[in-house]
Amino acid sequence: MDRVLADDLSRLPELLQSARDFAAREVSGLDTRPVAHLGKAPDAEPLPAGGVGAEGALARFAERWAPGFSASAGPRYLGFVTGGATPAALTGDWLTGAYDQNATGRGDSSATALEHETLGWLRELFGLSEAHTGAFVTGATVSNTVGLALAREWLGERLGVSVSEAGTAALGPVDVLSGSPHSSIPKALSVLGIGRDRLRTVPVLPGGREAVDVARLAEALDELDGRPAVVVANAGTVNTVDFDDLRAIAGLKERYDFWLHVDAAFGGFAALSPEHAQLTDGIDAADSVCVDLHKWLNVPYDAAVQFTRHRDLQVRVFHNASSYLGLPTGEPDFVHLTPENSRRLRALPTWFSLAAYGREGHQEIVERNVALARHLGDRITDAPGLRLLAPVRLNVVCFTLDGDPTQERVHSLGRAVAESGEAFMTPTFYEGTHALRAAFSNWRTTEADTDRVADALERAVSSL
Ligand SMILES: *Cc1c(COP(=O)(O)O)cnc(C)c1O
């Protein structure tokens, strides 16, 4: 064994203790460190011939790289939709690495049974029936891609071809309809060989809504003259967190032949709050469902879940068995269900957080985040020079500058807030206007944090 490696092996408990001490310092500093790092990253160095050992690597990381890392796990990082990691989720994440299980099959470990238990918990949390089975994947983009891969196979079945065997060309052009799809949907269509151009956006409801107009969706389906299609329904849009009427869309299945995929990446968490749960009514009728976990569940990257009512199709698309063995039967191993072959036990952080805090603990996070979004919305309404661009429907505040919201001025506002180190928000373009979004999904965020964000915004506006 390499001498440095052997030395690390002999000191493994102390090394883990150093890592623990370092991580504890970093995590407890999240409230005080600058939220975003805008400076230049270190230049890349050549590959070391001989190593410095884990302790030496930690020292180098602390010196060269740690200072440039953002406080994205902290309470005032409101860009994109970014959760942090609950204490239990972080514990689970550490243990995922420590155990290093290959959660592929069940021959040698109970790890995949733990993933099944966790999937059952999530199904219940999001109000899905046992008709849905699922798997952990790396994020909502991959979850959407898996859902749409099943849709593609289903379309083939309707037309009498096996896409997984004959290829996408056998299918001919595919129609994908959606009101306000996330950018990951065209990306998935590109990956799947369906093509970005096959996504047709259907008009949304009038009055500043991002929810699809179901009557217009019905018209679009009607125009297909019985040709089967794919509908992507959106449960939580990124700008204004609007929800399609899932029950009404599912009702169209009585008249039209389509696969219903629901992108509930973070909107699925509305189901945890009695006040908002009706927004996800009808989700169980979907053929496939995407929910992200590294956003509002507050587990570390990279974790999302995909659910479907069509596991038979999932096995056809993703099975990894030689043809002479045939398709797996019974409860197929995850290796036959996901894009990966080998895969980490991605369920463990989720298992830990749900075991530690239960439904009620996670409900509290969701409800607090929604209340804080409303609070920031009120502060922005009252602040000179700022105006809300949409009502605060759930956990995102979409706002812009009063007067002259050019791209340059709005981006300068976002940059000034980031440079203050107090908060981080991401720009968007909504209803023809350049804007900023503040998305609340971190478990640590308090009202005091929200006031700090609002204060930083007000200072930045007055200095523009
Ligand atoms: C974030 C998001 C995605 C993509 O999620 P990743 O985890 O970043 O791949 C897809 N859909 C919606 C609605 C999202 O908010």
Side-chain angles (χ1 to χ4, degrees), residues 69-91:
F69 279 23
S70 73
S72 59
R76 281 170 285 106
Y77 187 100
L78 307 178
F80 311 101
V81 181
T82 307
T86 64
L90 183 54
T91 305

Side-chain angles (χ1 to χ4, degrees), residues 62-423:
E63 188 202 321
R64 288 188 62 221
W65 293 105
F69 279 23
S70 73
S72 59
R76 281 170 285 106
Y77 187 100
L78 307 178
F80 311 101
V81 181
T82 307
T86 64
L90 183 54
T91 305
D93 203 59
W94 281 0
L95 292 177
T96 305
Y99 279 104
D100 195 23
Q101 304 286 287
N102 189 352
T104 301
R106 64 205 124 163
D108 63 324
S109 166
S110 57
T112 54
L114 181 143
E115 180 161 339
H116 281 295
E117 176 171 277
T118 313
L119 289 163
W121 291 357
L122 290 170
R123 186 168 56 203
E124 203 179 319
L125 199 64
F126 300 126
L128 296 169
S129 67
E130 288 186 4
H132 281 275
T133 59
F136 274 76
V137 291
T138 53
T141 300
V142 174
S143 177
N144 281 330
T145 305
V146 170
L148 294 173
L150 308 186
R152 188 184 60 177
E153 194 67 13
W154 174 85
L155 285 171
E157 197 178 58
R158 306 308 276 176
L159 302 174
V161 295
S162 166
V163 177
S164 59
E165 301 299 331
T168 316
L171 202 52
V174 170
D175 296 286
V176 183
L177 307 173
S178 188
S180 303
H182 185 266
S183 55
S184 59
I185 298 299
K187 176 167 171 169
L189 297 178
S190 161
V191 170
L192 293 168
I194 292 174
R196 297 176 194 261
D197 285 353
R198 300 307 303 173
L199 177 61
R200 278 174 47 201
T201 49
V202 178
V204 293
L205 292 171
R209 298 290 305 273
E210 287 186 300
V212 73
D213 183 334
V214 179
R216 303 293 296 274
L217 177 62
E219 282 168 23
L221 288 164
D222 207 57
E223 283 162 17
L224 298 177
D225 285 330
R227 209 163 63 241
V230 180
V231 171
V232 176
N234 302 294
T237 55
V238 289
N239 280 332
T240 71
V241 201
D242 211 344
F243 286 73
D244 288 352
D245 184 339
L246 302 180
R247 199 170 284 292
I249 295 174
L252 295 178
K253 282 190 160 213
E254 284 169 22
R255 280 186 282 152
Y256 305 107
D257 200 19
F258 63 92
W259 177 281
L260 176 56
H261 175 76
V262 176
D263 180 356
F266 67 97
F269 285 83
L272 276 69
S273 153
E275 191 192 336
H276 299 285
Q278 87 288 348
L279 292 170
T280 64
D281 269 0
I283 194 169
D284 187 49
D287 295 288
S288 52
V289 175
C290 153
V291 189
D292 230 335
L293 302 172
H294 52 218
K295 289 177 178 167
W296 223 349
L297 193 72
N298 282 269
V299 299
Y301 294 106
D302 46 15
V305 69
Q306 58 79 213
F307 286 107
T308 183
R309 292 174 162 270
H310 303 264
R311 188 158 69 182
D312 54 331
L313 296 179
Q314 187 159 358
V315 170
R316 258 195 256 159
V317 175
F318 291 103
H319 76 268
N320 189 0
S322 34
S323 48
Y324 58 85
L325 289 176
L327 292 182
T329 52
E331 190 166 280
D333 288 335
F334 288 111
V335 64
H336 302 303
L337 296 173
T338 56
E340 301 88 5
N341 189 39
S342 298
R343 55 202 285 278
R344 76 198 321 252
L345 183 55
R346 192 166 282 125
L348 195 54
T350 295
W351 185 94
F352 260 83
S353 207
L354 292 175
Y357 314 116
R359 179 195 290 276
E360 289 169 9
H362 280 279
Q363 175 181 336
E364 191 278 332
I365 295 172
V366 168
E367 291 180 335
R368 174 159 40 90
N369 285 154
V370 172
L372 295 174
R374 283 185 189 147
H375 180 59
L376 183 67
D378 291 343
R379 290 275 319 252
I380 286 172
T381 303
D382 293 342
L386 293 175
R387 75 182 159 94
L388 279 186
L389 209 49
V392 180
R393 293 202 179 90
L394 204 66
N395 61 327
V396 174
V397 187
C398 187
F399 63 98
T400 192
L401 284 163
D402 241 348
D404 186 23
T406 59
Q407 179 166 18
E408 199 198 320
R409 291 189 75 231
V410 171
H411 284 207
S412 316
L413 175 64
R415 207 163 37 245
V417 171
E419 277 166 1
S420 76
E422 287 286 281

